[in-house]
C-alpha cells in the first residue's frame, strides 16, 4: 500500500519550533519531489515549501521563508519540515505530498494537483 504519513504536529507557543516528518511506505521517495501544504479553517490550501527529487532545489512561500526549512533523507525514506519562530497564523493542518518528475526551483513550485500521493495531515496549533 502506497502511503505518506505525517507526524510531529502539536501545540506550541508563539516563537517555538516543531519538526514535521513525512514517512513514505510502499514506494521510495528517491526522485520524487516533496511538497508541504497547509490548510487553516476557512482558508484555501497553501503550498508552503517544496523540494526537488532530482537536485534538491527548494522553494518557500513568502509566508514561511526564513523560518521554515524543508529537507529529505532518502535513506530513511522520509522528508522533514523544520518550523521555527512559529506564529499563531501558522496554525493549520499540514500535509505532505509526493510527486514524480516535478520541477522545483526557488522561484517556482508545482501546484497541488500535480502531486501523486498525499498524507492524512497533522495538526499544528500555535497559541499561548
Amino acid at each position: 500500500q502506497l502511503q505518506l504519513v505525517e507526524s510531529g504536529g502539536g501545540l506550541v507557543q508563539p516563537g517555538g519550533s516543531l519538526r514535521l516528518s513525512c514517512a513514505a511506505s510502499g514506494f521510495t521517495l528517491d526522485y520524487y519531489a516533496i511538497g508541504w501544504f497547509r490548510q487553516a479553517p476557512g482558508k484555501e490550501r497553501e503550498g508552503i515549501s517544496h523540494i526537488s527529487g532530482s537536485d534538491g532545489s527548494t522553494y518557500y512561500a513568502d509566508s514561511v521563508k526564513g523560518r521554515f526549512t524543508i529537507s529529505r533523507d532518502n535513506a530513511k525514506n522520509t522528508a522533514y519540515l523544520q518550523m521555527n519562530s512559529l506564529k499563531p497564523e501558522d496554525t493549520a493542518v499540514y500535509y505532505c505530498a509526493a510527486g514524480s518528475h516535478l520541477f522545483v526551483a526557488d522561484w517556482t513550485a508545482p501546484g497541488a494537483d500535480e502531486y501523486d500521493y498525499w498524507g492524512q495531515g497533522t495538526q499544528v496549533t500555535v497559541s499561548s
Side-chain angles (χ1 to χ4, degrees):
Q1 185 178 2
L2 308 178
Q3 63 177 353
L4 296 172
V5 178
E6 301 97 336
S7 61
L11 173 64
V12 63
Q13 292 186 342
S17 298
L18 284 174
R19 188 177 81 155
L20 305 183
S21 298
C22 173
S25 61
F27 69 108
T28 59
L29 285 178
D30 298 34
Y31 308 113
Y32 276 80
I34 302 297
W36 284 96
F37 296 78
R38 68 185 181 186
Q39 188 164 21
K43 295 188 176 181
E44 292 186 356
R45 182 171 47 189
E46 176 188 15
I48 55 173
S49 186
H50 307 259
I51 185 167
S52 168
S54 58
D55 62 4
S57 297
T58 58
Y59 171 91
Y60 296 95
D62 288 344
S63 57
V64 305
K65 195 173 295 183
R67 300 187 298 123
F68 291 11
T69 303
I70 190 171
S71 62
R72 62 192 302 154
D73 185 339
N74 289 344
K76 294 183 178 180
N77 219 27
T78 301
Y80 305 95
L81 185 69
Q82 177 67 43
M83 306 186 297
N84 298 328
S85 302
L86 283 161
K87 306 174 182 180
E89 51 263 43
D90 294 318
T91 296
V93 178
Y94 284 70
Y95 301 89
C96 67
S100 61
H101 302 98
L102 299 181
F103 179 73
V104 177
D106 60 2
W107 51 271
T108 188
D113 58 354
E114 298 181 73
Y115 282 92
D116 302 311
Y117 305 111
W118 288 82
Q120 82 290 348
T122 185
Q123 176 71 45
V124 171
T125 302
V126 184
S127 175
S128 55

